[in-house]
Structures are given as C-alpha cells and as structure tokens.
Amino acid sequence: TMDDFIRGVLINEEILDSRIYWEALKSDEYALPIASWLSYHTLSRDIMQRQPYPLTPDALQPLRGIIHSSRSTYKHKSASLERGCILQKDTIIGEHSVLGKNTRICRTVIGDGCKIGEGVIIENSYLLGNVVVEENVRLKDTVIFSDCFIAKNSHLENCIVFTGVETSPQYSQNEVIIEMKEEKIVVKKLTECLGDEKNSLYFYHNFLKYWENQSESDDTCSDSDSRANESPMPDDTNMFLSEVIDSLLRGYQDKLNCDNLILEINSSRYAYNVTIREVTYNVVKAILVLPLHYLSEINSPVTNATYQKTLTVMIGYFNTILKNYIKTENAQEDCLKAIEDVAEGTREFLIFAQHLLNLLYKKDILSEEKILEWYELDDEETSEKVREAVQPFITWLQEAEEDSSSEEEDD
C-alpha cells in the first residue's frame, strides 16, 4: 500500500534526502520500464496483443508497412511466406524476410532481411536482422543477434547467439552463450556467465513456467495446437464482435436501413478502439454467424438448408454494409480470413463457402486475384478442409482465367 511505501522510504537511510521521480498515467495510457529481458519480453507480448492500443505494430510510424492478422500475428508487406508456413500467435515478421515451406513460428520476433529455410520450428525467440536459418532447424527460447548463420538440422534451446556466429550442420546447444572469437565458436554456460542474474532472462525455465501459469489456456506451441485453442481475442474485440452481431440481428429483424447500421458499427469501433481491419474482419464474421442467432431467435431448427437459405438472404440484405467495409485489397484479405475462420468452425457454412465466394465475386466485392492469392497461400493443416470445400469454385475460376488469357492471345 502507499502507507507501506512511505514507511519504507522513511526507514531506509540510503534514499533519505534523495529525489523520487514519478509520473501519473491516465487511465488510457500504458507504460512499462525496461530493466531486464523479462520486462522487454513482457512489453513485446503486450504490444503484439494490442494491449497498449493505439500503440500497435501496424500503427507505429517506424513500422510502416506492417500488416496485422488474427491471433496477434504481424508481417511486413514485403515479407514472403511460402506454402505451408504457419504463424501461430504473438509473432511479427520484418521487412524483406523470407520464410520457407512448412515452417512454424510461434511467439517470435523475426527482424528485417532474415531467411528461414524449410521445415523450421521457432518458438519464444528473437531473431534480429539478416539472420539465416537453414532447413529443419529447431529454435526455442533463444535470442539470435544480427548476421548469424544457423546451419541445417541444428537445435538451439535457451541460448544467446552473438553477432556473426556461423554454426555447422546438426549443431545442438542448450543454456549457453555462443560467440565467435578469432573465427572460432566459443561456448559458455549461461550459469557461469550470469551467476545470480540468470533468473532475469526471459528464456529461463522459471520465467517460462511463470508465463504459462499466467495464461488462460494451454499456451504451448505444439503441432496439436488448433486455431480454436489458441489465445483468445482481447476482451474489447470480443465485445465489439458481440455488439456488431446484436446490431445486425436487430437491424435484420426490424428491417432497419443499412446506413444507420453502419453508423452504429462505427460508433462501436471507436468505443472499443478496434482498427479498421479488425472492423472488416468482425463485420464479415458477424454476418456469417448471424443465421445461427436468427434461427435460434425464431425457434427454427438449424440445418444446412435453413442456414444456407437464411445466409443467402442476409448477404443480399447487408450488401451495402459489405461494400462499405470491403473496398481495399487489405479489406478483401480480412474478408477472406473471416470466411476461412468461420468455415473451419461451422459445419453448416463449410459446405456453403464456395457458393459464398462465387456470390461475393459476382457482386464485385472480392476480386479473382485476391481469391486465388488467398487460396494458394493458405496451406495450414487446420484449414485443409476449407480448401477442399472451395476447390470446385477455385477450379472454375482458374479455368475461366485461362480461357480469358487464350482469347486475348487469339485477338
């Protein structure tokens, strides 16, 4: 308490006659002093989870070009993710970085100009600029400084890798500091170098256990993780989605003007401090799950037929809202992401997903290029059933594109 603090100041002779500086924060402000890796890691996680909004990676001026996706994942628009690459959560990929096929990244910061090979798994780690990681490497709870080269089939856990280190293939270390001296790798145990300070490093087991205990759900980055089991959306985003569903449901039942509903949605957006991309994603998601709420309200059984019939009518009714929020390429990406996420968890919508893509394509809400780009890049194991469900429409779209190209060549 404040009394205890004052009593401690009066009793402690070392700080008598000294000045104590402080600054009061407003209720909507955020601050955290960086005194250790623990606090740095905590701050990084908070920022990626958008807790100090509007100070988020996609809004900060030095990080221009960063794109935010669901589950607190970010990547620069110039970064490249090959087929099968999975960004699980709390992850950011820097400018011009390249991630190879079937890589899995979880709770990790990857800096600018990094090259990650095929089949790499990285968890709870920091890779600074221009780091090269060859295929089938496993990194966990590790900090790698700039200009390092980690050869194929290596395994590093609880390590600090200093600038310029180049390992040999199948290199394996745990709880060590790795550095280059006179063109040779020198390895020192963390316990020998840090002594009593080792507990201040974020990657030590005591901190990892602390972080796991603070989690609301199973927070491991294992292959068995699914999107449904990953960290939930922040409360504000959940509440925003709930309000959008309520507004749309009431608007559909009372046949309210869609322009008025847009005003309501925008008011909720500012009330809950969500970005325009989050708005687009959640508006589309709300419309896709709305038939389930509506059928429940009117005590009608939820079947594939009733869901699809109701959704088709709602898409027509909310056409103005969809066109209002889906105007840019980013908005199309967010729309497709919402379609994918709802299809994964809603059986009734899964078999209707291809028809919805066709419908939005014909309404010029989604472009052919964005649909094909989304389909080709989306190779996560958890969404395999979605890709199979929309395959007939994708095939038709690809064939139509080929026929159009052939006609242009003939002309």
Side-chain angles (χ1 to χ4, degrees):
T1 66
M2 182 60 71
D3 290 340
D4 294 329
F5 172 73
I6 294 173
R7 189 178 299 110
V9 171
L10 295 175
I11 294 174
N12 192 335
E13 296 179 357
E14 294 181 1
I15 60 176
L16 286 176
D17 297 325
S18 297
R19 291 185 179 182
I20 300 176
Y21 295 92
W22 68 283
E23 182 172 346
L25 296 177
K26 298 178 181 178
S27 59
D28 59 345
E29 291 181 333
Y30 176 98
L32 180 68
I34 303 302
S36 65
W37 270 110
L38 168 58
S39 55
Y40 178 80
H41 187 59
T42 301
L43 178 62
S44 298
R45 290 283 300 276
D46 285 353
I47 291 176
M48 283 191 282
Q49 293 175 356
R50 312 180 75 78
Q51 295 186 33
Y53 184 93
L55 300 178
T56 58
D58 53 327
L60 294 172
Q61 188 67 15
L63 297 178
R64 285 181 297 179
I66 291 291
I67 299 171
H68 171 236
S69 299
S70 60
R71 305 183 305 281
S72 302
T73 59
Y74 304 82
K75 79 175 193 70
H76 194 275
K77 61 184 180 181
S78 64
S80 174
L81 277 62
E82 295 191 22
R83 183 179 294 274
C85 179
I86 301 174
L87 305 184
Q88 283 190 304
K89 52 189 149 185
D90 301 336
T91 293
I92 184 167
I93 309 300
E95 187 174 1
H96 299 303
S97 288
V98 178
L99 276 62
K101 296 179 181 179
N102 302 316
T103 59
R104 179 161 56 84
I105 315 296
C106 179
R107 290 204 207 95
T108 291
V109 174
I110 295 180
D112 298 341
C114 293
K115 295 182 179 179
I116 311 300
E118 296 184 12
V120 172
I121 299 175
I122 305 177
E123 305 173 15
N124 298 328
S125 296
Y126 289 84
L127 280 65
L128 304 188
N130 302 312
V131 173
V132 177
V133 179
E134 291 194 322
E135 63 268 20
N136 300 317
V137 168
R138 173 73 180 270
L139 303 174
K140 185 175 182 181
D141 310 324
T142 291
V143 177
I144 301 180
F145 286 85
S146 301
D147 303 313
C148 289
F149 177 87
I150 310 301
K152 60 184 179 181
N153 301 315
S154 295
H155 183 186
L156 301 179
E157 187 167 347
N158 302 303
C159 293
I160 303 174
V161 183
F162 282 3
T163 299
V165 167
E166 296 186 8
T167 73
S168 57
Q170 299 182 344
Y171 188 76
S172 180
Q173 292 289 352
N174 184 25
E175 295 190 2
V176 298
I177 294 176
I178 306 170
E179 57 183 324
M180 295 291 291
K181 288 187 176 179
E182 298 179 354
E183 299 184 355
K184 293 182 180 180
I185 290 182
V186 177
V187 176
K188 299 179 182 178
K189 281 289 185 180
L190 280 170
T191 51
E192 298 173 359
C193 298
L194 301 172
D196 294 336
E197 296 179 359
K198 67 178 183 180
N199 289 331
S200 66
L201 293 172
Y202 85 93
F203 40 77
Y204 260 76
H205 299 297
N206 61 337
F207 171 67
L208 295 177
K209 291 179 181 178
Y210 160 79
W211 198 261
E212 297 296 330
N213 291 337
Q214 301 303 309
S215 175
E216 295 180 356
S217 60
D218 181 14
D219 232 6
T220 58
C221 302
S222 63
D223 289 325
S224 61
D225 276 355
S226 66
R227 294 181 179 180
N229 290 330
E230 291 177 358
S231 55
M233 291 186 295
D235 289 341
D236 281 354
T237 310
N238 272 324
M239 293 174 67
F240 172 74
L241 175 60
S242 178
E243 288 218 1
V244 172
I245 292 174
D246 290 343
S247 296
L248 295 180
L249 182 59
R250 177 170 46 81
Y252 183 76
Q253 290 173 326
D254 298 340
K255 304 305 177 188
L256 300 181
N257 189 297
C258 284
D259 290 336
N260 294 335
L261 295 176
I262 290 172
L263 292 176
E264 283 192 28
I265 293 170
N266 288 341
S267 297
S268 297
R269 171 199 172 187
Y270 293 115
Y272 291 106
N273 285 332
V274 296
T275 66
I276 186 60
R277 298 200 64 174
E278 289 173 321
V279 172
T280 303
Y281 173 87
N282 284 290
V283 165
V284 174
K285 188 173 183 179
I287 292 174
L288 298 183
V289 301
L290 199 61
L292 302 176
H293 295 269
Y294 176 73
L295 293 173
S296 176
E297 284 275 325
I298 63 175
N299 296 319
S300 176
V302 179
T303 65
N304 291 343
T306 57
Y307 171 87
Q308 293 165 18
K309 181 180 178 180
T310 305
L311 179 60
T312 302
V313 175
M314 286 182 170
I315 292 295
Y317 186 83
F318 295 122
N319 183 63
T320 301
I321 294 177
L322 289 170
K323 287 192 172 182
N324 179 76
Y325 290 108
I326 309 175
K327 296 178 180 178
T328 65
E329 291 187 353
N330 283 345
Q332 291 187 57
E333 292 176 4
D334 298 328
C335 174
L336 289 164
K337 185 61 181 172
I339 291 173
E340 177 187 347
D341 289 348
V342 175
E344 285 182 33
T346 309
R347 176 176 52 83
E348 294 83 359
F349 175 63
L350 178 63
I351 59 178
F352 187 71
Q354 63 165 321
H355 302 294
L356 178 64
L357 289 178
N358 187 28
L359 186 61
L360 297 180
Y361 170 72
K362 289 181 177 179
K363 289 178 176 291
D364 292 326
I365 293 175
L366 292 178
S367 68
E368 174 183 342
E369 293 78 9
K370 275 297 173 185
I371 295 173
L372 292 177
E373 178 184 326
W374 163 75
Y375 179 81
E376 291 168 359
L377 290 178
D378 183 26
D379 193 35
E380 297 180 11
E381 181 179 352
T382 53
S383 60
E384 185 67 26
K385 60 181 181 181
V386 178
R387 298 202 335 276
E388 291 178 0
V390 301
Q391 177 65 53
F393 172 70
I394 297 296
T395 301
W396 174 83
L397 204 59
Q398 291 170 333
E399 291 174 352
E401 183 182 29
E402 292 173 359
D403 292 341
S404 176
S405 300
S406 300
E407 291 177 3
E408 290 178 2
E409 291 176 358
D410 293 338
D411 293 337

